[in-house]
């Protein structure tokens, strides 16, 4: 018995040494992936008590890309709509625009461009191979919300190269805790309501055009939600608007309400589940249409497990004895929801959990199989 224990210890040590040699980008074991974290936890930027100017200065320091003409025009149309749903946030963005010496719509357009690019890949895909390639460019893939406990979670799934494009930082202000992407408000929580995003895109609804009058940008939708006192208030702010491409915001609040706010040019609606809801890169109509001609296993292989991830999340919600932060972190680390590199570059690159009742965020700057979560709470 003693020899067996010694042998087990040696094997365990050898396995640990071997796993330490794996790097992000290596092909890993499907179920038991192990490697070193590229970023363990997250960097916290605490701007509490410093006001709008500090937030604008911080956002202005972040890198962003150029936007194409169509997106610039859509962003111009969005400015006043953004102001209707998130007036205080637009003031911050206008101050940021002053700092950078550009029109504010250019900042909104820079934020909108990334999802626009991804959507173009779907529109232009003419066969299964092209569709599979388009899928691997998706951002923000699997979201979940628990009813009653007011908790939402996200696995952000992207190309493996994203891990090396900069550290994951979380900004804390007096009333918000959020991840800033392309200089704007992304995944985040307010004092009462939290939101996480997953892309749906063209398969779930056509994109806006330069003539779409009721368009808002992604960051304004986030700001509208996190500044709301409840999920219902957030939905009422957004229900008459659309985002530039089809997007879903999974939400929860500190009263225990939850849902997925699906925003497309076909209309904005909220979908709730029994005990909670999981959402991936499609809506119900897209799922039904795709599975009407493609077997489920093949569909998942083509569409990066979008249906499997959603099914796994909803199955967990249906049987989970506890729906707390630990439970959310657990399901975000499980196959097929969590993806370490195995057969594609489409992987989880960061993970976020927001607990609205306790006012705390948990942010991992890498796949949560490899990274710890950094806890950030309101004072």
């Amino acid at each position: 018995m003693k020899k067996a224990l010694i042998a087990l210890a040696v094997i365990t040590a050898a396995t640990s040494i071997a796993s330490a040699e794996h790097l992000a980008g290596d092909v890993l074991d499907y179920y038991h992936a192990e490697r070193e974290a590229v970023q363990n936890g997250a960097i916290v930027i605490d701007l509490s008590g410093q006001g709008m100017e500090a937030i604008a200065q911080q956002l202005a320091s972040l890198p962003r890309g150029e936007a194409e003409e169509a997106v610039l025009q859509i962003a111009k149309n969005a400015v006043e709509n953004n102001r209707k749903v998130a007036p205080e946030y637009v003031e911050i963005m206008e101050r940021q625009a002053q700092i950078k010496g550009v029109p504010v719509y250019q900042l909104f357009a820079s934020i909108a461009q990334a999802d626009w690019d991804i959507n173009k890949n779907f529109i232009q895909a003419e066969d299964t191979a092209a569709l599979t390639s388009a899928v691997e460019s998706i951002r923000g893939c699997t979201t979940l919300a628990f009813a009653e406990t007011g908790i939402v979670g996200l696995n952000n799934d992207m190309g493996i190269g994203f891990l090396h494009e900069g550290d994951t930082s979380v900004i804390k202000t007096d009333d918000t805790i959020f991840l800033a992407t392309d200089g704007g408000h992304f995944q985040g929580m307010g004092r009462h309501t939290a939101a996480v995003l997953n892309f749906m895109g063209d398969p779930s609804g056509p994109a806006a055009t330069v003539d779409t009058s009721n368009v808002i940008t992604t960051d304004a939708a986030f700001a509208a939600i996190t500044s709301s006192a409840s999920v219902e208030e957030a939905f009422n702010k957004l229900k008459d608007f659309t985002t530039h491409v089809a997007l879903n915001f999974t939400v929860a609040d500190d009263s225990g309400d939850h849902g997925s706010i699906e925003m497309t040019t076909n209309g904005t609606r909220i979908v709730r589940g029994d005990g909670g809801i999981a959402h991936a890169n499609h809506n119900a109509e897209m799922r039904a249409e795709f599975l009407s001609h493609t077997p489920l296993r093949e569909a998942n292989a083509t569409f990066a497990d979008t249906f499997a991830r959603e099914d796994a999340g909803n199955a967990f919600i249906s049987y989970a004895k506890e729906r707390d932060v630990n439970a959310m972190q657990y399901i975000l680390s499980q196959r097929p929801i969590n993806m370490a590199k195995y057969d594609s570059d489409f992987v989880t690159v960061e993970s976020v959990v927001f607990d609205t009742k306790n006012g705390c965020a948990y942010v991992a700057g890498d796949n949560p199989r490899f990274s710890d979560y950094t806890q950030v709470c309101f004072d």
Side-chain angles (χ1 to χ4, degrees):
M1 180 69 176
K2 189 172 182 180
K3 288 182 179 179
L5 290 173
I6 293 172
L8 179 60
V10 171
I11 292 170
T12 303
T15 302
S16 298
I17 292 169
S19 68
E21 296 173 353
H22 293 305
L23 301 173
D26 291 346
V27 175
L28 304 176
D29 180 275
Y30 184 83
Y31 290 107
H32 303 287
E34 293 187 30
R35 64 165 170 79
E36 294 295 319
V38 172
Q39 180 187 352
N40 193 28
I43 296 170
V44 179
I45 301 169
D46 191 348
L47 303 178
S48 301
Q50 298 183 47
M52 182 188 79
E53 180 65 20
I55 302 169
Q57 291 284 351
Q58 176 62 36
L59 294 178
S61 72
L62 299 178
R64 69 209 68 213
E66 298 293 325
E68 62 186 73
E69 186 58 38
V71 181
L72 286 167
Q73 184 57 55
I74 290 171
K76 283 184 181 180
N77 297 342
V79 172
E80 292 309 312
N81 293 332
N82 287 352
R83 197 186 310 278
K84 291 175 184 177
V85 301
E88 292 182 1
Y89 175 71
V90 173
E91 287 183 21
I92 292 172
M93 294 297 285
E94 288 175 330
R95 175 61 186 132
Q96 184 188 168
Q98 290 176 346
I99 295 167
K100 296 184 72 66
V102 298
V104 71
Y105 71 81
Q106 184 173 317
L107 299 183
F108 289 131
S110 295
I111 293 165
Q113 184 66 45
D115 287 323
W116 188 263
D117 286 340
I118 296 166
N119 204 58
K120 282 195 300 186
N121 292 336
F122 280 100
I123 294 170
Q124 296 168 0
E126 296 180 352
D127 54 31
T128 299
L131 180 60
T132 301
S133 177
V135 168
E136 292 192 9
S137 68
I138 293 175
R139 298 164 58 110
C141 284
T142 309
T143 60
L144 299 99
F146 291 158
E148 300 178 359
T149 56
I151 293 170
V152 296
L154 158 87
N155 270 352
N156 188 17
D157 299 325
M158 298 180 65
I160 194 79
F162 178 86
L163 285 169
H164 302 285
E165 291 182 5
D167 291 327
T168 296
S169 298
V170 56
I171 296 176
K172 175 186 173 183
T173 73
D174 291 337
D175 297 309
T176 55
I177 299 172
F178 67 98
L179 276 65
T181 302
D182 298 316
H185 188 324
F186 266 68
Q187 329 289 349
M189 66 183 295
R191 290 285 181 173
H192 301 286
T193 306
V196 289
L197 168 74
N198 60 267
F199 177 90
M200 295 192 297
D202 190 73
S204 292
T209 71
V210 295
D211 297 319
T212 302
S213 61
N214 67 333
V215 67
I216 62 174
T217 54
T218 315
D219 53 328
F222 269 118
I225 296 167
T226 59
S227 62
S228 296
S230 66
V231 166
E232 196 65 30
E233 180 183 316
F235 174 66
N236 285 331
K237 287 180 183 178
L238 299 178
K239 65 183 180 180
D240 295 324
F241 297 95
T242 185
T243 41
H244 60 303
V245 299
L247 299 172
N248 169 70
F249 299 85
T250 295
V251 295
D253 66 31
D254 58 359
S255 74
D257 196 6
H258 78 289
S260 287
I261 300 175
E262 298 177 342
M263 301 189 70
T264 78
T265 52
N266 295 327
T268 291
R269 66 188 181 191
I270 186 165
V271 182
R272 291 179 171 88
D274 183 10
I277 192 167
H279 206 291
N281 305 119
H282 62 273
N283 59 14
E285 291 81 2
M286 180 272 189
R287 178 185 177 119
E289 193 282 328
F290 205 80
L291 295 183
S292 70
H293 55 72
T294 307
L296 183 58
R297 185 178 174 85
E298 181 183 336
N300 276 309
T302 301
F303 228 86
D305 289 331
T306 184
F307 311 117
R309 285 182 278 118
E310 184 175 271
D311 290 345
N314 282 321
F316 176 79
I317 288 168
S318 72
Y319 72 75
K321 292 181 175 60
E322 297 180 349
R323 297 177 185 140
D324 56 11
V325 169
N326 287 336
M328 184 64 77
Q329 291 178 351
Y330 170 82
I331 188 58
L332 290 175
S333 71
Q334 300 304 303
R335 286 287 188 174
I337 287 179
N338 175 274
M339 289 182 278
K341 186 172 179 181
Y342 176 75
D343 55 2
S344 78
D345 284 339
F346 185 59
V347 299
T348 296
V349 296
E350 60 191 10
S351 187
V352 181
V353 178
F354 297 114
D355 178 356
T356 59
K357 290 198 174 186
N358 292 299
C360 292
Y362 302 82
V363 183
D366 196 340
N367 183 312
R369 283 186 182 269
F370 318 125
S371 170
D372 293 330
Y373 285 90
T374 295
Q375 181 181 4
V376 188
C377 299
F378 289 121
D379 297 331

